[in-house]
Amino acid sequence: MINSSDVTISHIANLPTTHGDLKMQSFEYQGREHLAIFTPNMSATTPTVPIVRLHSECLTGDALGSLKCDCGAQLNSALDMISKNGNGMLIYLRQEGRGIGLVNKVNAYALQDQGHDTIEANIALGFKADERTYDIAEFILNHYNIKQIRLITNNPHKIASLKTTEVLERIETIMPTNQHNQNYLLVKKEKSGHYL
């Protein structure tokens, strides 16, 4: 459980985007700055339960358009879905490369170039297959008094990691494949149990 005294929280600011007009607020915890992006009228008490996406940072996919993953496409799809729904939030978690950081992610990419899959590469570098945690995500949801969500995810481990938030519905997020990410997605399905 994260203590509120350990988290620095910014003011809420407007965020006009290509997905629609949104709001944002940042949360700094243990040297990492996470971001909540949400609809202007987001509410935990309306008849519809908020749609939420817990999105881990992927600089290569989110910002650079990498075709080796589906992260950027998932990010944009989730923001579209949340904006159109009118009641939702995307929590942008600063845990690059499944939590191993950018330098190690690039090293993992180099191992993938030599034939390792994403999980094998992480393990070869001395990490678990997935180092991500979701404590700060639950802190953020609790900050907005959100106790029930409809979660945009293909990852069953993400659902299981939420201890104080009830996931009423899982909303799938299936992106088109290409020649560069087919094996990546296959590994997600066969070794990580993702719903794909």
Side-chain angles (χ1 to χ4, degrees), residues 164-190:
T164 63
T165 308
E166 185 181 5
V167 178
L168 295 184
E169 178 187 0
R170 181 187 71 83
I171 301 170
E172 69 178 12
T173 172
I174 307 297
M175 300 296 112
T177 60
N178 63 64
Q179 63 179 343
H180 304 286
N181 71 10
Q182 283 178 340
N183 188 56
Y184 163 85
L185 294 171
L186 189 63
V187 168
K188 268 189 171 184
K189 178 181 179 179
E190 295 186 349

Side-chain angles (χ1 to χ4, degrees), residues 58-185:
C58 175
L59 178 69
T60 50
D62 297 343
L64 303 178
S66 171
L67 296 176
K68 291 183 82 168
C69 66
D70 58 348
C71 302
Q74 285 191 344
L75 173 64
N76 286 297
S77 173
L79 286 170
D80 276 343
M81 198 181 303
I82 288 164
S83 183
K84 286 174 184 168
N85 178 266
N87 186 29
M89 170 182 288
L90 184 137
I91 301 176
Y92 196 84
L93 299 164
R94 303 297 299 280
Q95 43 188 7
E96 178 73 54
R98 294 184 184 158
I100 67 174
L102 187 57
V103 170
N104 288 309
K105 178 181 176 176
V106 175
N107 287 335
Y109 264 30
L111 288 172
Q112 291 168 43
D113 291 341
Q114 298 169 23
H116 294 275
D117 67 35
T118 51
I119 290 176
E120 292 166 349
N122 278 18
I123 291 170
L125 292 171
F127 298 102
K128 293 185 289 189
D130 193 333
E131 295 276 350
R132 292 176 293 180
T133 61
Y134 298 95
D135 294 351
I136 189 62
E138 282 213 286
F139 176 91
I140 293 169
L141 290 168
N142 287 327
H143 175 78
Y144 296 101
N145 200 33
I146 296 172
K147 304 298 183 190
Q148 296 180 320
I149 62 173
R150 293 178 289 153
L151 187 63
I152 304 170
T153 189
N154 299 324
N155 186 348
H157 305 295
K158 204 174 279 188
I159 298 169
S161 72
L162 297 175
K163 306 302 182 196
T164 63
T165 308
E166 185 181 5
V167 178
L168 295 184
E169 178 187 0
R170 181 187 71 83
I171 301 170
E172 69 178 12
T173 172
I174 307 297
M175 300 296 112
T177 60
N178 63 64
Q179 63 179 343
H180 304 286
N181 71 10
Q182 283 178 340
N183 188 56
Y184 163 85
L185 294 171

